[in-house]
Amino acid sequence: MKPKTIHIQDVTLRDGNQALKRPWTLDEKIEVFDLLVELNVDGIEVGFPSSNEAEFHTCQVLAKRAPKGKPIAALSRANEKEIAITWDSIQKADTPRMHIVYPVSDFSIKHVLKISEQEVLQKIYTSIKFARSIVGPDVQIQFSGEHFGDALENFEFTKLAFLKAIEAGANIINLPNTVERYRPMVFVNMVKEIKQTVGDQAIISIHTHNDLGMATATSVESVFVGAEQIEVALNGLGERAGNTNLYETVIALHQNGERLNTNFHKIYPTAKRISELTGIPIGEKTPIIGDDIFSHRSGIHQDGVTKTLHQSKGAYRTFSPEFVGRSDKETISFTNQSGHKAIEFLLNQKGIQVSKEEIHNLFSKAKMISSRENNREITEAELVALSQSILTYQ
């Protein structure tokens, strides 16, 4: 059931920006937009134009800036006035896309909307029908059933809601895990059932949030039950714990043999710039882009690394640094968890050849220093100095 083509739809400029402590200025949004174009994401959601005049203007500017053939979406609630404003803001894009959202979960209907299920169906139908009447027959309309991931209690109704949206003119059905509450396969099985219900009547899209830290896994697995589009954000930005991370998603799919349009070598420089623009630091252990992800300190790992260093597949490496645009390399450091191979490798890198006995002596001295001084790392310069002192003494 896996689709032939997987579309990466970025929502950084809408979902990511709205969650920032200081939302971006127009100039900053233009820069982010250009970074997304360079990454070659398949589509870009530029904002929520009916929320305020500045947002409306920004969406207009970005829509006009869009390359030929690049889908440019903007979000609207299921309200005719807001839909009209949204369309006005993006219609100058070469390939505009209308995106309408409305809740579908039992909890939201009862406690937020406080209306009947029949009224929900009517609202979905009339809003999408209106959107189709003003955008014409060729523009894509995406309908998001907000809180889809929380719709287990009224799942049969949710199916009807999506079929009603398609009947009214929607051709993309977006399934949001608006708040992540359950394990990935619960959501994935829901996606599978919607795909079976919808069939080829509409594209199935996924939009997951990371409240439990499983957004990427949930999105990637959804592809293998029929989802054709994944909504992502740069640096995993978004409400609360953020949205599905673009970098993790595309690398995971690539590693599993899927072909994407992404310019992978743009990932790292983009991530660094987004960190600067948001003031949100990148954790050193963050997958794909963290400073420490190519570092090796365990003796067992260091042995495997040195034996596979120049191979396309590393013993303890998923992808090469340069593949995502990094200029760093795999590094070996010495701590009291390291082995003899670390010392041999680090000295060889400096052109210093020493015997196995000398390596053993260096290993003992370095371990002793590290343990004595709160288990600190022993630098390459210190190892060189220790080796020279041993050789001089001999």
Side-chain angles (χ1 to χ4, degrees):
M1 193 181 288
K2 181 179 69 63
K4 292 180 181 179
T5 304
I6 302 165
H7 296 277
I8 301 299
Q9 174 81 0
D10 188 88
V11 298
T12 306
L13 286 162
R14 198 271 300 170
D15 213 336
N17 178 68
Q18 73 186 33
L20 295 177
K21 293 177 181 177
R22 184 192 67 79
W24 287 316
T25 64
L26 174 58
D27 287 343
E28 289 170 329
K29 286 183 177 181
I30 289 172
E31 182 177 355
V32 173
F33 183 86
D34 289 347
L35 288 172
L36 289 166
V37 171
E38 289 178 10
L39 269 171
N40 200 33
V41 297
D42 297 298
I44 302 171
E45 186 163 272
V46 292
F48 186 9
S50 63
S51 60
N52 59 70
E53 287 187 14
E55 187 79 352
F56 176 86
H57 176 64
T58 297
C59 291
Q60 274 193 325
V61 170
L62 297 179
K64 292 175 183 176
R65 193 178 184 87
K68 187 176 178 61
K70 184 77 68 180
I72 300 298
L75 184 71
S76 174
R77 292 180 294 187
N79 174 291
E80 291 188 6
K81 180 180 179 181
E82 293 185 16
I83 289 169
I85 291 170
T86 300
W87 176 239
D88 192 26
S89 74
I90 61 167
Q91 63 177 302
K92 294 297 178 62
D94 179 74
T95 310
R97 176 188 291 175
M98 177 66 69
H99 184 187
I100 298 168
V101 61
Y102 202 67
V104 296
S105 75
D106 183 66
F107 183 88
S108 293
I109 293 169
K110 288 179 178 176
H111 300 286
V112 179
L113 298 178
K114 298 182 178 181
I115 60 177
S116 70
E117 288 184 340
Q118 189 57 43
E119 287 174 294
V120 171
L121 293 177
Q122 186 62 33
K123 188 74 170 177
I124 291 169
Y125 183 83
T126 56
S127 62
I128 295 174
K129 195 75 173 175
F130 172 75
R132 179 56 72 198
S133 73
I134 63 171
V135 305
D138 300 324
V139 170
Q140 288 184 319
I141 296 177
Q142 175 171 310
F143 173 69
S144 285
E146 189 183 11
H147 287 290
F148 166 78
D150 203 24
L152 286 167
E153 292 87 353
N154 65 331
F155 199 57
E156 291 306 312
F157 165 78
T158 303
K159 292 179 188 177
L160 289 176
F162 291 131
L163 291 173
K164 184 63 71 172
I166 293 168
E167 181 187 342
N171 37 31
I172 301 173
I173 295 298
N174 192 39
L175 309 177
N177 211 6
T178 310
V179 179
E180 188 174 52
R181 304 185 194 276
Y182 309 111
R183 62 188 178 89
M185 290 312 295
V186 171
F187 184 88
V188 172
N189 286 332
M190 293 169 72
V191 174
K192 182 179 180 180
E193 199 163 336
I194 294 298
K195 176 60 180 175
Q196 291 170 344
T197 300
V198 169
D200 295 328
Q201 297 179 79
I203 292 167
I204 299 298
S205 173
I206 305 299
H207 177 106
T208 67
H209 281 261
N210 203 37
D211 299 271
L212 300 179
M214 301 184 292
T216 297
T218 302
S219 293
V220 169
E221 285 304 313
S222 293
V223 166
F224 294 90
V225 294
E228 297 175 61
Q229 176 176 285
I230 301 180
E231 298 200 341
V232 298
L234 299 173
N235 293 38
L237 296 175
E239 295 286 1
R240 305 178 311 280
N243 290 295
T244 304
N245 187 296
L246 183 150
Y247 320 126
E248 296 171 16
T249 301
V250 297
I251 293 292
L253 289 167
H254 172 80
Q255 287 298 124
N256 284 279
E258 303 306 319
R259 297 186 65 180
L260 302 173
N261 296 318
T262 311
N263 287 332
F264 292 97
H265 65 283
K266 294 288 186 180
I267 284 176
Y268 187 66
T270 299
K272 298 293 281 187
R273 183 57 184 146
I274 293 297
S275 179
E276 292 169 356
L277 286 169
T278 60
I280 301 172
I282 297 170
E284 64 177 23
K285 295 292 186 183
T286 300
I288 318 299
I289 57 174
D291 285 346
D292 212 38
I293 67 166
F294 293 109
S295 299
H296 309 280
R297 299 184 180 91
S298 158
I300 295 173
H301 286 212
Q302 290 168 339
D303 181 65
V305 168
T306 59
K307 291 173 179 175
T308 61
L309 192 61
H310 300 295
Q311 296 181 20
S312 59
K313 181 178 181 178
Y316 296 97
R317 168 175 46 78
T318 300
F319 56 91
S320 64
E322 57 269 20
F323 181 69
V324 295
R326 299 179 65 136
S327 59
D328 52 346
K329 303 294 181 185
E330 286 190 277
T331 60
I332 287 177
S333 305
F334 189 91
T335 69
N336 69 355
Q337 302 297 303
S338 302
H340 292 69
K341 184 63 74 172
I343 292 177
E344 180 183 4
F345 176 80
L346 290 168
L347 292 181
N348 285 345
Q349 291 283 92
K350 291 292 184 179
I352 301 171
Q353 303 292 324
V354 291
S355 67
K356 288 185 178 179
E357 181 181 352
E358 289 162 342
I359 288 173
H360 181 72
N361 290 338
L362 279 167
F363 176 78
S364 298
K365 283 181 177 290
K367 282 269 189 178
M368 182 182 67
I369 294 170
S370 176
S371 298
R372 187 177 64 213
E373 299 181 14
N374 202 31
N375 296 337
R376 73 171 178 87
E377 182 178 310
I378 303 301
T379 68
E380 187 179 79
E382 287 178 294
L383 288 172
V384 170
L386 279 172
S387 71
Q388 290 172 341
S389 69
I390 288 175
L391 293 171
T392 301
Y393 178 74
Q394 292 176 341

